[in-house]
Amino acid sequence: MAKSNSFFNIDMLVLSLLKVSDCYGYELVKKIKEVSNNTLDIKEGTLYPVVHNLLKKEYISSRDEIVNKKVRVYYHIEPIGRDYLEKTITDFRKNIKGVFDIIEYGEVEKNE
């Protein structure tokens, strides 16, 4: 899990994508960039420690598949991972609302 004072964590992105379909590592990197309309660009070196941590906590599982004579590791969200994702999303939405509340407060003060 990300640091408790972190506003945003990559776990949420990975688990949200895996909630839709199983993916392999590089596919997760591409989908994060694609689905975010090129706003988020997570590098593989950043992604894999997150994936390994999610595996360690059993939020996700993995399976190997042979694709073009090479082993590709696919990741799958587990029920405990879905529970963690929902809590993470709830916390994130609460935090983002707080940020917008502060921005709105600043805009009102500025206009008075």
Side-chain angles (χ1 to χ4, degrees):
M1 185 170 163
K3 295 177 186 172
S4 61
N5 64 350
S6 290
F7 176 70
F8 170 91
N9 73 55
I10 299 171
D11 295 2
M12 183 173 58
L13 305 180
V14 170
L15 292 171
S16 291
L17 293 174
L18 293 177
K19 188 175 172 185
V20 175
S21 65
D22 294 356
C23 297
Y24 56 94
Y26 183 64
E27 184 178 21
L28 287 167
V29 169
K30 290 190 314 187
K31 279 189 175 186
I32 288 170
K33 189 171 184 177
E34 176 186 315
V35 174
S36 72
N37 296 310
N38 296 319
T39 303
L40 303 174
D41 188 11
I42 308 297
K43 303 298 182 200
E44 288 177 82
T46 300
L47 177 77
Y48 282 109
V50 170
V51 168
H52 289 290
N53 190 45
L54 292 170
L55 282 165
K56 182 178 175 183
K57 292 180 178 181
E58 299 182 347
Y59 293 155
I60 64 174
S61 58
S62 64
R63 72 176 189 282
D64 295 346
E65 284 190 18
I66 305 294
V67 178
N68 297 325
K69 298 182 182 181
K70 294 181 182 178
V71 176
R72 184 176 283 168
V73 180
Y74 281 84
Y75 301 102
H76 173 81
I77 189 169
E78 295 296 333
I80 190 174
R82 288 178 183 272
D83 294 342
Y84 171 69
L85 173 61
E86 293 309 313
K87 181 191 178 314
T88 303
I89 290 171
T90 298
D91 292 347
F92 177 76
R93 286 187 171 139
K94 184 178 88 177
N95 290 339
I96 200 83
K97 182 190 178 313
V99 169
F100 280 113
D101 289 347
I102 292 169
I103 291 169
E104 194 173 293
Y105 174 82
E107 289 173 340
V108 169
E109 288 297 310
K110 183 176 82 174
N111 292 329
E112 289 182 356

